Amino acid sequence: MDVYKITGENRLQGTIKVSGAKNSAVALIPASILANSPVTIGGLPEISDAWTLKALLEEIGGEVSFEDGTMTIDPTDMIALPLPNGNVKKLRASYYLMGAMLGRFKKAVIGLPGGCFLGPRPIDQHIKGFEALGAKITNEHGAIYLRADELIGAKIYLDVASVGATINIMLAAVLAKGRTVIENAAKEPEIIDVATLLTNMGANIKGAGTSVIRIEGVEELHGTEHTIIPDRIEAATFMIMAAAIGEGVTIDNVIPLHLEAVIAKLREMGVKIDIGEESIFVPKTDLDTLHAVDVKTLVYPGFPTDIQQPLAVLMSQAFGSSKVTDTIYTARFKHIDELRRMNANARVEGNTAIITGPSKLQGSTVTATDLRAGAALVLAGLLAEGETEIHDIYHIERGYSSLIEKLRDLGANIRRETIMARVAETKE
């Protein structure tokens, strides 16, 4: 199996470029199903989720090329083949195939999606939206069956401002008859990105990025070219790494507006941040002036749940006790046990983690339990004394493109190695 090995305490310096947004990519690629001619998406991150979606589109008859971050999808000959198993189980965002296939073919069969296990993330809001548009939905043998004679616009109020449900309903509604209104819609930048692609394809969408989105159905959508937005979560991860062990790091290809909550919290901790138009510079942080803060994760524009895990590592270097309360995913504290193996002083109480610093981290063998926990462990390894070995790195590679190369260019001592799985593990 493959692991990351990191020898810690090397200072990071230089410029690191942020890839396209993972959470946009996994929705933009399925959205191409709705077009009647080729769609080209530029700036995509070369992550395993993008390759999995490419394979899924090819399974239903799409012609797809993907090189140098540009994916061209010809959806002309796609058909509504069932996708109950296989690749569809590999990533959570395969649920966007439901909205896209329902919108184009008025039917779909999609296996229940996989991805990181972060506790219950129900798709009931997605289903409520599809049913409002006139689809019949059944769950048979672990796959979701969606069928509609026709889709008719409706008013849909989301009980939770879910990004996934907001995008999925948009995908289903753009070719429906009449007007659809999504109330209590999520406001994340990735939703605006998907709406921009759909609008360029000929859809009529107003209000993306606000809590009310209005969609007038159109007869058909055509191909287009689109460039994805930068990944705000990756940018924030690099900002935290720069604060923890940087000698002056420039993070390039960012939209600072998307990072306001993270920038504010880092400044509150004592991190200096210089903001450019499309870049952010983090000078060397004096860890003696780093102090504890309290963080509560909220939907955008609040502090992102995806960043509380890497931030926990920086908190372990700050003076005092920091508190992280996660209101989005209660099971998102598995990294705390792993950080404790590395000598962090941290504990979990309900939906709150309490991290007391500063602690001198020690290299250890740890496991990435999910994507952002993996990013946290990479940072912990960069800070720690000695060598850190990270297992289950496939989680990390679902969301971070060329992470090793990017960090090595800054001076990190990190490599990927294939090791023999331990005998005890193979017996289980």
Side-chain angles (χ1 to χ4, degrees):
M1 62 178 185
D2 284 2
V3 299
Y4 287 166
K5 288 198 172 178
I6 305 170
T7 304
E9 301 186 292
N10 278 23
R11 309 287 302 179
L12 307 180
Q13 191 168 19
T15 298
I16 191 164
K17 189 179 178 194
V18 174
S19 300
K22 167 194 177 274
N23 290 343
S24 274
V26 294
L28 293 170
I29 297 168
S32 67
I33 293 172
L34 293 160
N36 60 10
S37 54
V39 174
T40 299
I41 306 166
L44 283 173
E46 301 217 1
I47 51 176
S48 56
D49 277 10
W51 289 102
T52 302
L53 283 165
K54 172 183 185 286
L56 282 164
L57 295 194
E58 287 170 339
E59 273 183 55
I60 60 170
E63 280 188 31
V64 190
S65 69
F66 186 24
E67 51 193 297
D68 299 329
T70 297
M71 190 178 285
T72 300
I73 302 145
D74 185 347
T76 319
D77 297 327
M78 285 182 180
I79 51 173
L81 278 179
L83 295 167
N85 292 308
N87 281 318
V88 85
K89 301 276 192 186
K90 288 183 186 171
L91 77 158
R92 172 124 199 113
S94 54
Y95 55 44
Y96 291 128
L97 295 166
M98 295 180 189
M101 290 177 79
L102 186 62
R104 173 162 169 186
F105 303 115
K106 308 295 176 276
K107 61 178 181 181
V109 178
I110 308 290
L112 282 170
C116 294
F117 182 74
L118 300 171
R121 296 203 278 180
I123 56 168
D124 57 334
Q125 297 301 302
H126 306 232
I127 288 166
K128 170 180 167 174
F130 297 150
E131 286 178 337
L133 296 170
K136 290 192 169 52
I137 320 272
T138 53
N139 181 349
E140 299 169 31
H141 316 298
I144 305 280
Y145 283 67
L146 306 96
R147 308 173 182 88
D149 295 327
E150 62 175 352
L151 296 174
I152 295 169
K155 195 171 199 177
I156 299 156
Y157 180 87
L158 294 178
D159 301 324
V160 216
S162 152
V163 176
T166 302
I167 292 176
N168 232 341
I169 295 165
M170 276 196 329
L171 294 175
V174 284
L175 292 173
K177 288 189 174 148
R179 166 181 277 205
T180 298
V181 180
I182 307 170
E183 296 184 329
N184 194 30
K187 303 174 188 166
E188 270 71 1
E190 293 77 12
I191 291 163
I192 301 172
D193 204 18
V194 176
T196 303
L197 171 73
L198 292 170
T199 303
N200 292 344
M201 287 161 64
N204 184 343
I205 302 171
K206 299 281 185 292
T210 74
S211 57
V212 181
I213 298 176
R214 292 179 174 81
I215 301 161
E216 296 287 347
V218 295
E219 284 290 313
E220 61 176 6
L221 296 177
H222 51 76
T224 188
E225 292 188 4
H226 177 81
T227 302
I228 193 169
I229 57 170
D231 195 315
R232 62 197 170 93
I233 305 301
E234 184 179 321
T237 303
F238 294 151
M239 284 167 62
I240 292 165
M241 288 177 173
I245 194 163
E247 284 288 325
V249 176
T250 300
I251 296 112
D252 206 7
N253 189 36
V254 296
I255 299 175
L257 175 70
H258 294 171
L259 292 158
E260 283 187 335
V262 178
I263 290 167
K265 196 50 73 172
L266 287 174
R267 283 179 167 160
E268 192 186 323
M269 287 181 80
V271 178
K272 290 189 173 59
I273 295 169
D274 300 333
I275 299 172
E277 275 186 30
E278 292 183 354
S279 67
I280 287 173
F281 177 69
V282 182
K284 182 178 180 179
T285 302
D286 181 357
L287 293 181
D288 291 342
T289 63
L290 208 60
H291 49 262
V293 292
D294 290 353
V295 171
K296 190 176 197 175
T297 67
L298 292 163
V299 295
Y300 187 84
F303 193 92
T305 172
D306 282 357
I307 284 304
Q308 60 93 344
Q309 289 150 296
L311 189 70
V313 182
L314 185 62
M315 288 170 162
S316 76
Q317 305 305 298
F319 284 84
S321 286
S322 295
K323 271 168 53 180
V324 182
T325 304
D326 202 320
T327 64
I328 316 286
Y329 297 136
T330 47
R332 209 165 205 166
F333 289 120
K334 296 202 178 79
H335 59 298
I336 295 293
D337 280 344
E338 302 302 308
L339 292 175
R340 285 169 63 171
R341 291 175 199 269
M342 300 179 71
N343 197 41
N345 180 352
R347 67 184 195 277
V348 179
E349 291 179 3
N351 66 342
T352 300
I354 298 150
I355 299 121
T356 304
S359 302
K360 178 70 188 147
L361 299 182
Q362 304 292 335
S364 179
T365 298
V366 290
T367 301
T369 50
D370 61 74
L371 168 56
R372 307 303 173 185
L377 295 177
V378 169
L379 172 53
L382 294 172
L383 275 169
E385 187 180 351
E387 187 174 80
T388 298
E389 187 178 292
I390 304 177
H391 291 226
D392 290 358
I393 58 171
Y394 63 88
H395 282 303
I396 302 170
E397 293 176 350
R398 280 190 45 240
Y400 290 91
S401 176
S402 313
L403 183 63
I404 285 190
E405 293 78 3
K406 288 181 182 180
L407 291 176
R408 283 166 102 157
D409 285 347
L410 293 182
N413 184 340
I414 176 171
R415 63 193 189 280
R416 185 192 177 119
E417 266 189 28
T418 303
I419 63 166
M420 293 296 291
R422 289 191 184 79
V423 177
E425 288 174 357
T426 53
K427 279 181 184 167
E428 279 175 18

